[in-house]
mmCIF file of all heavy atoms in Angstrom:
data_model
loop_
_atom_site.group_PDB
_atom_site.id
_atom_site.type_symbol
_atom_site.label_atom_id
_atom_site.label_comp_id
_atom_site.label_asym_id
_atom_site.label_seq_id
_atom_site.Cartn_x
_atom_site.Cartn_y
_atom_site.Cartn_z
ATOM 1 N N GLU A 14 -4.111 17.250 2.252
ATOM 2 C CA GLU A 14 -4.157 17.515 3.701
ATOM 3 C C GLU A 14 -4.949 16.394 4.367
ATOM 4 O O GLU A 14 -5.988 15.948 3.841
ATOM 5 C CB GLU A 14 -4.835 18.870 3.955
ATOM 6 C CG GLU A 14 -4.742 19.355 5.385
ATOM 7 C CD GLU A 14 -3.398 19.930 5.756
ATOM 8 O OE1 GLU A 14 -2.679 20.408 4.868
ATOM 9 O OE2 GLU A 14 -3.074 19.908 6.974
ATOM 10 N N ALA A 15 -4.464 15.923 5.515
ATOM 11 C CA ALA A 15 -5.093 14.782 6.191
ATOM 12 C C ALA A 15 -6.272 15.205 7.056
ATOM 13 O O ALA A 15 -6.259 16.275 7.676
ATOM 14 C CB ALA A 15 -4.053 14.076 7.051
ATOM 15 N N HIS A 16 -7.296 14.333 7.088
ATOM 16 C CA HIS A 16 -8.474 14.557 7.930
ATOM 17 C C HIS A 16 -8.847 13.240 8.591
ATOM 18 O O HIS A 16 -9.098 12.237 7.907
ATOM 19 C CB HIS A 16 -9.642 15.077 7.090
ATOM 20 C CG HIS A 16 -9.350 16.350 6.378
ATOM 21 N ND1 HIS A 16 -9.688 17.590 6.897
ATOM 22 C CD2 HIS A 16 -8.721 16.586 5.198
ATOM 23 C CE1 HIS A 16 -9.294 18.535 6.045
ATOM 24 N NE2 HIS A 16 -8.705 17.942 5.019
ATOM 25 N N VAL A 17 -8.870 13.241 9.924
ATOM 26 C CA VAL A 17 -9.197 12.039 10.686
ATOM 27 C C VAL A 17 -10.714 11.815 10.637
ATOM 28 O O VAL A 17 -11.496 12.736 10.847
ATOM 29 C CB VAL A 17 -8.737 12.175 12.143
ATOM 30 C CG1 VAL A 17 -9.134 10.938 12.954
ATOM 31 C CG2 VAL A 17 -7.221 12.369 12.206
ATOM 32 N N SER A 18 -11.097 10.573 10.330
ATOM 33 C CA SER A 18 -12.534 10.242 10.222
ATOM 34 C C SER A 18 -12.854 9.001 11.024
ATOM 35 O O SER A 18 -11.977 8.402 11.669
ATOM 36 C CB SER A 18 -12.908 10.027 8.754
ATOM 37 O OG SER A 18 -12.354 8.809 8.278
ATOM 38 N N ASP A 19 -14.126 8.588 10.977
ATOM 39 C CA ASP A 19 -14.635 7.353 11.563
ATOM 40 C C ASP A 19 -14.430 7.297 13.073
ATOM 41 O O ASP A 19 -13.467 6.725 13.573
ATOM 42 C CB ASP A 19 -14.006 6.137 10.897
ATOM 43 C CG ASP A 19 -14.870 4.893 11.091
ATOM 44 O OD1 ASP A 19 -15.682 4.893 12.035
ATOM 45 O OD2 ASP A 19 -14.755 3.939 10.316
ATOM 46 N N PHE A 20 -15.391 7.870 13.774
ATOM 47 C CA PHE A 20 -15.320 7.902 15.234
ATOM 48 C C PHE A 20 -16.246 6.882 15.894
ATOM 49 O O PHE A 20 -16.646 7.041 17.039
ATOM 50 C CB PHE A 20 -15.647 9.321 15.729
ATOM 51 C CG PHE A 20 -14.533 10.300 15.489
ATOM 52 C CD1 PHE A 20 -14.315 10.820 14.221
ATOM 53 C CD2 PHE A 20 -13.694 10.687 16.517
ATOM 54 C CE1 PHE A 20 -13.281 11.709 13.993
ATOM 55 C CE2 PHE A 20 -12.652 11.577 16.290
ATOM 56 C CZ PHE A 20 -12.450 12.085 15.031
ATOM 57 N N GLY A 21 -16.566 5.821 15.159
ATOM 58 C CA GLY A 21 -17.474 4.809 15.710
ATOM 59 C C GLY A 21 -16.931 4.116 16.941
ATOM 60 O O GLY A 21 -17.692 3.625 17.771
ATOM 61 N N THR A 22 -15.599 4.056 17.077
ATOM 62 C CA THR A 22 -15.018 3.402 18.241
ATOM 63 C C THR A 22 -14.491 4.404 19.276
ATOM 64 O O THR A 22 -13.887 4.023 20.262
ATOM 65 C CB THR A 22 -13.834 2.491 17.823
ATOM 66 O OG1 THR A 22 -12.849 3.298 17.154
ATOM 67 C CG2 THR A 22 -14.297 1.396 16.888
ATOM 68 N N ALA A 23 -14.718 5.706 19.042
ATOM 69 C CA ALA A 23 -14.174 6.732 19.936
ATOM 70 C C ALA A 23 -14.705 6.553 21.342
ATOM 71 O O ALA A 23 -15.838 6.159 21.575
ATOM 72 C CB ALA A 23 -14.534 8.117 19.401
ATOM 73 N N LYS A 24 -13.846 6.874 22.308
ATOM 74 C CA LYS A 24 -14.230 6.773 23.710
ATOM 75 C C LYS A 24 -13.920 8.097 24.404
ATOM 76 O O LYS A 24 -12.816 8.617 24.311
ATOM 77 C CB LYS A 24 -13.452 5.641 24.398
ATOM 78 C CG LYS A 24 -13.882 5.394 25.835
ATOM 79 C CD LYS A 24 -13.175 4.177 26.391
ATOM 80 C CE LYS A 24 -13.590 3.887 27.835
ATOM 81 N NZ LYS A 24 -14.998 3.498 27.946
ATOM 82 N N LEU A 25 -14.944 8.639 25.080
ATOM 83 C CA LEU A 25 -14.746 9.858 25.845
ATOM 84 C C LEU A 25 -14.210 9.453 27.212
ATOM 85 O O LEU A 25 -14.886 8.776 27.984
ATOM 86 C CB LEU A 25 -16.062 10.622 25.977
ATOM 87 C CG LEU A 25 -16.700 11.006 24.642
ATOM 88 C CD1 LEU A 25 -18.125 11.475 24.854
ATOM 89 C CD2 LEU A 25 -15.888 12.097 23.964
ATOM 90 N N LEU A 26 -12.978 9.854 27.512
ATOM 91 C CA LEU A 26 -12.326 9.394 28.731
ATOM 92 C C LEU A 26 -12.844 10.105 29.964
ATOM 93 O O LEU A 26 -12.850 11.335 30.031
ATOM 94 C CB LEU A 26 -10.808 9.619 28.639
ATOM 95 C CG LEU A 26 -9.998 8.618 27.828
ATOM 96 C CD1 LEU A 26 -8.525 8.868 28.062
ATOM 97 C CD2 LEU A 26 -10.344 7.187 28.165
ATOM 98 N N LYS A 27 -13.282 9.342 30.937
ATOM 99 C CA LYS A 27 -13.623 9.903 32.237
ATOM 100 C C LYS A 27 -12.396 9.736 33.112
ATOM 101 O O LYS A 27 -11.979 8.624 33.429
ATOM 102 C CB LYS A 27 -14.830 9.157 32.829
ATOM 103 C CG LYS A 27 -16.096 9.326 31.996
ATOM 104 C CD LYS A 27 -17.254 8.545 32.607
ATOM 105 C CE LYS A 27 -18.509 8.692 31.754
ATOM 106 N NZ LYS A 27 -19.639 7.903 32.301
ATOM 107 N N LEU A 28 -11.790 10.850 33.480
ATOM 108 C CA LEU A 28 -10.492 10.799 34.145
ATOM 109 C C LEU A 28 -10.553 10.161 35.527
ATOM 110 O O LEU A 28 -9.538 9.769 36.085
ATOM 111 C CB LEU A 28 -9.922 12.219 34.246
ATOM 112 C CG LEU A 28 -9.721 12.919 32.891
ATOM 113 C CD1 LEU A 28 -9.151 14.304 33.110
ATOM 114 C CD2 LEU A 28 -8.809 12.100 31.984
ATOM 115 N N ASP A 29 -11.769 10.071 36.109
ATOM 116 C CA ASP A 29 -11.879 9.477 37.439
ATOM 117 C C ASP A 29 -12.308 8.014 37.385
ATOM 118 O O ASP A 29 -12.706 7.433 38.376
ATOM 119 C CB ASP A 29 -12.894 10.263 38.280
ATOM 120 C CG ASP A 29 -14.267 10.313 37.634
ATOM 121 O OD1 ASP A 29 -14.366 9.949 36.444
ATOM 122 O OD2 ASP A 29 -15.229 10.713 38.312
ATOM 123 N N SER A 30 -12.219 7.409 36.192
ATOM 124 C CA SER A 30 -12.617 6.004 36.063
ATOM 125 C C SER A 30 -11.470 5.185 35.487
ATOM 126 O O SER A 30 -10.460 5.710 35.040
ATOM 127 C CB SER A 30 -13.847 5.872 35.161
ATOM 128 O OG SER A 30 -13.511 6.108 33.815
ATOM 129 N N SER A 31 -11.646 3.870 35.487
ATOM 130 C CA SER A 31 -10.584 2.976 35.011
ATOM 131 C C SER A 31 -10.551 2.856 33.496
ATOM 132 O O SER A 31 -9.572 2.416 32.928
ATOM 133 C CB SER A 31 -10.773 1.588 35.624
ATOM 134 O OG SER A 31 -12.023 1.056 35.237
ATOM 135 N N ASN A 32 -11.665 3.251 32.823
ATOM 136 C CA ASN A 32 -11.727 3.222 31.367
ATOM 137 C C ASN A 32 -11.452 1.851 30.761
ATOM 138 O O ASN A 32 -10.778 1.725 29.759
ATOM 139 C CB ASN A 32 -10.761 4.250 30.756
ATOM 140 C CG ASN A 32 -11.221 5.670 31.024
ATOM 141 O OD1 ASN A 32 -12.332 6.057 30.672
ATOM 142 N ND2 ASN A 32 -10.374 6.429 31.690
ATOM 143 N N TRP A 33 -11.990 0.821 31.402
ATOM 144 C CA TRP A 33 -11.912 -0.510 30.821
ATOM 145 C C TRP A 33 -12.945 -0.616 29.719
ATOM 146 O O TRP A 33 -14.009 -0.052 29.778
ATOM 147 C CB TRP A 33 -12.171 -1.580 31.887
ATOM 148 C CG TRP A 33 -11.128 -1.563 32.955
ATOM 149 C CD1 TRP A 33 -11.157 -0.878 34.126
ATOM 150 C CD2 TRP A 33 -9.881 -2.261 32.934
ATOM 151 N NE1 TRP A 33 -10.015 -1.111 34.844
ATOM 152 C CE2 TRP A 33 -9.216 -1.950 34.154
ATOM 153 C CE3 TRP A 33 -9.265 -3.123 32.033
ATOM 154 C CZ2 TRP A 33 -7.953 -2.466 34.473
ATOM 155 C CZ3 TRP A 33 -8.012 -3.639 32.361
ATOM 156 C CH2 TRP A 33 -7.375 -3.307 33.551
ATOM 157 N N SER A 34 -12.616 -1.340 28.673
ATOM 158 C CA SER A 34 -13.520 -1.380 27.522
ATOM 159 C C SER A 34 -13.337 -2.674 26.754
ATOM 160 O O SER A 34 -12.320 -3.364 26.884
ATOM 161 C CB SER A 34 -13.222 -0.185 26.596
ATOM 162 O OG SER A 34 -13.997 -0.243 25.431
ATOM 163 N N LYS A 35 -14.311 -2.967 25.916
ATOM 164 C CA LYS A 35 -14.149 -4.094 25.009
ATOM 165 C C LYS A 35 -13.138 -3.721 23.932
ATOM 166 O O LYS A 35 -12.884 -2.542 23.666
ATOM 167 C CB LYS A 35 -15.488 -4.469 24.365
ATOM 168 C CG LYS A 35 -16.013 -3.433 23.413
ATOM 169 C CD LYS A 35 -17.206 -3.974 22.658
ATOM 170 C CE LYS A 35 -17.618 -2.996 21.553
ATOM 171 N NZ LYS A 35 -18.648 -3.545 20.679
ATOM 172 N N LEU A 36 -12.539 -4.720 23.315
ATOM 173 C CA LEU A 36 -11.525 -4.502 22.288
ATOM 174 C C LEU A 36 -12.131 -3.798 21.080
ATOM 175 O O LEU A 36 -13.191 -4.166 20.584
ATOM 176 C CB LEU A 36 -10.924 -5.829 21.859
ATOM 177 C CG LEU A 36 -9.564 -5.781 21.143
ATOM 178 C CD1 LEU A 36 -8.515 -5.164 22.056
ATOM 179 C CD2 LEU A 36 -9.136 -7.194 20.751
ATOM 180 N N ALA A 37 -11.469 -2.730 20.628
ATOM 181 C CA ALA A 37 -11.944 -1.987 19.466
ATOM 182 C C ALA A 37 -10.757 -1.472 18.691
ATOM 183 O O ALA A 37 -9.725 -1.128 19.265
ATOM 184 C CB ALA A 37 -12.850 -0.838 19.906
ATOM 185 N N GLY A 38 -10.887 -1.404 17.377
ATOM 186 C CA GLY A 38 -9.798 -0.891 16.557
ATOM 187 C C GLY A 38 -9.512 -1.812 15.397
ATOM 188 O O GLY A 38 -10.243 -2.761 15.123
ATOM 189 N N THR A 39 -8.427 -1.518 14.692
ATOM 190 C CA THR A 39 -8.045 -2.284 13.509
ATOM 191 C C THR A 39 -6.802 -3.117 13.802
ATOM 192 O O THR A 39 -5.812 -2.602 14.340
ATOM 193 C CB THR A 39 -7.759 -1.337 12.322
ATOM 194 O OG1 THR A 39 -8.942 -0.582 12.041
ATOM 195 C CG2 THR A 39 -7.359 -2.122 11.085
ATOM 196 N N TYR A 40 -6.866 -4.395 13.470
ATOM 197 C CA TYR A 40 -5.725 -5.279 13.713
ATOM 198 C C TYR A 40 -4.479 -4.733 13.014
ATOM 199 O O TYR A 40 -4.514 -4.320 11.864
ATOM 200 C CB TYR A 40 -6.026 -6.682 13.175
ATOM 201 C CG TYR A 40 -4.908 -7.661 13.389
ATOM 202 C CD1 TYR A 40 -4.662 -8.209 14.648
ATOM 203 C CD2 TYR A 40 -4.074 -8.016 12.333
ATOM 204 C CE1 TYR A 40 -3.619 -9.099 14.844
ATOM 205 C CE2 TYR A 40 -3.015 -8.902 12.524
ATOM 206 C CZ TYR A 40 -2.794 -9.437 13.778
ATOM 207 O OH TYR A 40 -1.760 -10.312 13.975
ATOM 208 N N GLY A 41 -3.365 -4.729 13.730
ATOM 209 C CA GLY A 41 -2.119 -4.225 13.178
ATOM 210 C C GLY A 41 -1.814 -2.800 13.609
ATOM 211 O O GLY A 41 -0.703 -2.311 13.430
ATOM 212 N N TYR A 42 -2.813 -2.136 14.216
ATOM 213 C CA TYR A 42 -2.625 -0.752 14.693
ATOM 214 C C TYR A 42 -2.873 -0.648 16.198
ATOM 215 O O TYR A 42 -2.568 0.370 16.805
ATOM 216 C CB TYR A 42 -3.582 0.198 13.994
ATOM 217 C CG TYR A 42 -3.380 0.313 12.507
ATOM 218 C CD1 TYR A 42 -4.003 -0.578 11.629
ATOM 219 C CD2 TYR A 42 -2.573 1.309 11.940
ATOM 220 C CE1 TYR A 42 -3.836 -0.479 10.255
ATOM 221 C CE2 TYR A 42 -2.404 1.418 10.576
ATOM 222 C CZ TYR A 42 -3.032 0.512 9.733
ATOM 223 O OH TYR A 42 -2.857 0.606 8.369
ATOM 224 N N MET A 43 -3.426 -1.700 16.812
ATOM 225 C CA MET A 43 -3.804 -1.628 18.226
ATOM 226 C C MET A 43 -2.587 -1.784 19.137
ATOM 227 O O MET A 43 -1.698 -2.589 18.891
ATOM 228 C CB MET A 43 -4.827 -2.719 18.551
ATOM 229 C CG MET A 43 -6.191 -2.449 17.965
ATOM 230 S SD MET A 43 -7.424 -3.664 18.506
ATOM 231 C CE MET A 43 -6.920 -5.093 17.559
ATOM 232 N N ALA A 44 -2.591 -0.989 20.198
ATOM 233 C CA ALA A 44 -1.504 -1.051 21.179
ATOM 234 C C ALA A 44 -1.493 -2.430 21.837
ATOM 235 O O ALA A 44 -2.554 -3.005 22.114
ATOM 236 C CB ALA A 44 -1.702 0.035 22.224
ATOM 237 N N PRO A 45 -0.307 -2.989 22.085
ATOM 238 C CA PRO A 45 -0.220 -4.358 22.622
ATOM 239 C C PRO A 45 -0.903 -4.540 23.960
ATOM 240 O O PRO A 45 -1.435 -5.616 24.243
ATOM 241 C CB PRO A 45 1.286 -4.603 22.709
ATOM 242 C CG PRO A 45 1.921 -3.237 22.674
ATOM 243 C CD PRO A 45 1.028 -2.400 21.839
ATOM 244 N N GLU A 46 -0.930 -3.486 24.796
ATOM 245 C CA GLU A 46 -1.527 -3.647 26.124
ATOM 246 C C GLU A 46 -3.031 -3.901 26.060
ATOM 247 O O GLU A 46 -3.615 -4.469 26.983
ATOM 248 C CB GLU A 46 -1.244 -2.424 27.011
ATOM 249 C CG GLU A 46 -1.896 -1.120 26.568
ATOM 250 C CD GLU A 46 -1.011 -0.320 25.634
ATOM 251 O OE1 GLU A 46 -0.048 -0.886 25.090
ATOM 252 O OE2 GLU A 46 -1.296 0.887 25.462
#
């Protein structure tokens, strides 16, 4: 059974903000935008 781990890059979204951020994630899995 799968379990999601490693929340070091997690971002709590504030819906009233633009949510701009520094690049985070693993190369090859990041969304192109």
Side-chain angles (χ1 to χ4, degrees):
E14 189 77 26
H16 301 265
V17 177
S18 71
D19 202 338
F20 286 77
T22 58
K24 185 175 180 66
L25 302 167
L26 281 190
K27 296 179 181 178
L28 300 180
D29 58 348
S30 72
S31 60
N32 291 303
W33 296 92
S34 176
K35 68 171 188 172
L36 199 61
T39 300
Y40 180 76
Y42 297 87
M43 289 186 287
E46 66 270 16

